[in-house]
Amino acid sequence: MSAAPILAAFRQAFAEAWAGGAGALLPLGFLGGTAVLVPLGIGSDTDTLSAVGPGIIWVSLALSSLVTLERIFQADVEDGTLDLWLQTGAPMAGIAAAKTLAHWLAAGLPLALASPLLALMFQAQASLELLVHLGLYALGGLAFFFWGGVGAALSATVRRGGLLISIIALPLYVPTAIFGALAMTGGIGSDGAPMLLAASTLFACAVAPYAMAAALRLAAD
Amino acid sequence: MWSAFANPHKFLKFSAVAAPLFYGAGALCILWGLWQGLWIVPKDEYQGGDIMRVMFIHVPAAWLAMASYSGLAVASFVWFIWRHELADIAAKAIAPLGAVWTALCLATGAIWGKPTWGTWWQWDDARMMSVLFLLFLFLGYMALRASMDSRQKAARAGAILAMVGAINVPLIKFSVDLFTSLHQPASVITADGPKMAAVYLAPLLVSSLGHGLLFGGLVMTHMRTEIRQRRIARLTAQALE
């Protein structure tokens, strides 16, 4: 048993994310669209915008993970890639984690990297805090992608499973969303909330790959 | 010892007696609790006056919402590890009933909250949010099962999702103490014993027991129906061969 199938899965997922009409740019377009439409929708008042800005970015992160994850495992079930992976004897959890990580790198991390710019569009004060927020978005986004991956793996055999992924993943996003928002507003002490956010992300990274692996073995049957 | 409960024949025999008993005892407990709650106990002005009497449905529903999800997770776990079909049948029966009690908890909570706190719903209250997402967990479980094309696949996918979702149940209790909110902190199960006056506690506990018994009876009836449906499906398949 070697790590080769896992690396191959990572490369495949990363290439997949960029192939076919720049799929990885879709979340950025999504977020950019939101950044323009929100001020039009709720008014251009500076205080209001800077208050809702972080929340809008969290929501966009969660939604973009759902948008990009819909097809992540479905194509592998359809074209037989999944069966080949199972035959290599490589740990399925490792492959699932590699694919999810690649998708986060392609679609989640760029969102986090763009967040300071977007925060400025939402009238936030330019400060180093925006870079701290960038880290929080990256961390929370990772949890979103892993839990969303569970939904994607479970509905891999379901046609038009997008809605199913949303309803499965939504409750799993809750801890991350709550801790993320608390970390931004400085609730429960300055250190507590970021620590809890990190803990919930690590938990997702530890648990989700095994759930994905079990779901993918089911999908291959 | 436990595997004795996995035998559908023994379950059918047991539940034929137990389900009616659960219905009867549950009805008595709920009626007594309602009678005490609506007519006997004094109203608590601090909790909104007469509206606090909704507590005798709201609190049992909240407990049952959490307990039924735990039950769903345990049944899923047992099915996933030992493949006792009865565990899957139980999980399938628990999900819609759990969703109903969770919805009841949300509805009665909103009715209580409007006159007392001045709002039907408060978004920064972690406890309300957790129960809402518990409802989504139930709905997601049912939607996932319904979208699978075979019974075996539905059972497997459902079991995985229920076990993953089980992390939400401890979070409900955890979040109560973590966030400052409108919702009063736990007042029945605390380290120092119940903080609630005994006059409220007795009807509350009896009412909760009644809801639990009613829930148990309904689960058994659902399971009996499901066992018979599977039997019919098997016999039909045999007859067609």
Side-chain angles (χ1 to χ4, degrees):
Chain A
M1 193 182 81
S2 70
I6 296 178
L7 287 173
F10 183 83
R11 276 199 301 273
Q12 178 230 23
F14 202 70
E16 223 170 44
W18 286 101
L25 291 179
L26 177 68
L28 277 180
F30 203 82
L31 192 58
T34 317
V36 174
L37 282 175
V38 165
L40 297 180
I42 66 169
S44 56
D45 180 51
T46 306
D47 291 338
T48 315
L49 280 181
S50 60
V52 299
I56 302 278
I57 299 178
W58 276 114
V59 171
S60 303
L61 250 179
L63 292 181
S64 74
S65 72
L66 292 176
V67 170
T68 52
L69 284 170
E70 185 179 349
R71 292 279 303 164
I72 168 171
F73 295 120
Q74 227 164 41
D76 297 331
V77 175
E78 283 163 9
D79 66 11
T81 315
L82 183 61
D83 297 316
L84 289 176
W85 278 336
L86 285 168
Q87 280 175 15
T88 61
M92 216 41 218
I95 288 175
K99 284 208 70 153
T100 315
L101 200 64
H103 264 264
W104 172 76
L105 278 175
L109 193 59
L111 262 186
L113 292 176
S115 69
L117 186 65
L118 286 151
L120 290 178
M121 284 178 75
F122 288 124
Q123 311 285 9
Q125 292 294 320
S127 69
L128 278 177
E129 209 178 23
L130 294 183
L131 293 180
V132 177
H133 287 184
L134 187 159
L136 294 175
Y137 289 129
L139 202 59
L142 190 58
F144 285 154
F145 273 74
F146 267 95
W147 288 130
V150 174
L154 277 170
S155 53
T157 55
V158 180
R159 272 174 196 282
R160 310 184 67 80
L163 178 66
L164 198 55
I165 297 179
S166 323
I167 197 171
I168 289 173
L170 191 71
L172 303 175
Y173 283 4
V174 171
T176 309
I178 289 178
F179 296 141
L182 274 180
M184 300 259 162
T185 54
I188 57 167
S190 54
D191 283 348
M195 289 292 193
L196 285 170
L197 179 67
S200 72
T201 301
L202 286 175
F203 184 65
C205 296
V207 174
Y210 293 96
M212 283 190 266
L216 288 176
R217 271 188 224 106
L218 161 67
D221 271 1
Chain B
M1 197 278 267
W2 281 101
S3 55
F5 290 103
N7 184 326
H9 292 285
K10 281 185 185 160
F11 172 77
L12 284 178
K13 264 192 216 159
F14 167 77
S15 59
V17 182
L21 276 179
F22 274 44
Y23 286 130
L28 282 178
C29 288
I30 291 174
L31 287 176
W32 188 80
L34 283 180
W35 171 63
Q36 286 281 319
L38 290 179
W39 281 284
I40 305 299
V41 302
K43 62 186 175 191
D44 184 340
E45 289 302 339
Y46 178 69
Q47 292 293 347
D50 272 327
I51 192 70
M52 55 71 66
R53 297 176 192 280
V54 78
M55 173 177 78
F56 298 102
I57 293 177
H58 176 66
V59 174
W63 283 342
L64 209 53
M66 287 185 275
S68 58
Y69 196 80
S70 313
L72 180 68
V74 170
S76 300
F77 182 77
V78 168
W79 183 84
F80 201 75
I81 303 296
W82 291 288
R83 301 282 149 126
H84 288 320
E85 281 305 315
L86 214 50
D88 176 53
I89 294 172
K92 195 183 174 191
I94 288 171
L97 292 168
V100 167
W101 259 277
T102 311
L104 186 67
C105 171
L106 287 170
T108 51
I111 292 167
W112 193 358
K114 183 62 182 168
T116 332
W117 296 328
T119 178
W120 299 105
W121 186 260
Q122 185 73 20
W123 279 105
D124 63 8
D125 185 283
R127 218 175 189 186
M128 294 181 197
M129 295 276 285
S130 300
V131 175
L132 178 66
F133 287 110
L134 195 62
L135 180 64
F136 281 133
L137 275 175
F138 279 122
L139 296 180
Y141 178 87
M142 288 191 282
L144 182 65
R145 277 196 85 114
S147 68
M148 291 288 149
D149 50 13
S150 78
R151 191 171 58 73
Q152 192 75 8
K153 278 191 173 179
R156 258 170 88 180
I160 295 168
L161 180 61
M163 289 190 288
V164 169
I167 57 156
N168 196 54
V169 174
L171 188 70
I172 292 179
K173 297 305 280 182
F174 176 62
S175 60
V176 178
D177 301 324
L178 188 60
F179 301 101
T180 51
S181 69
L182 275 180
H183 209 291
Q184 61 165 330
S187 53
V188 176
I189 302 168
T190 67
D192 312 325
K195 287 183 190 153
M196 192 182 276
V199 61
Y200 297 122
L201 192 60
L204 187 61
L205 290 180
V206 171
S207 190
S208 300
L209 179 68
H211 279 265
L213 287 168
L214 176 61
F215 186 90
L218 285 169
V219 166
M220 279 191 270
T221 304
H222 265 238
M223 288 173 70
R224 291 169 65 81
T225 314
E226 177 75 16
I227 291 172
R228 293 202 173 106
Q229 272 176 346
R230 291 188 183 186
R231 197 173 282 171
I232 290 168
R234 202 163 50 240
L235 289 173
T236 314
Q238 275 171 9
L240 287 174
E241 269 173 14

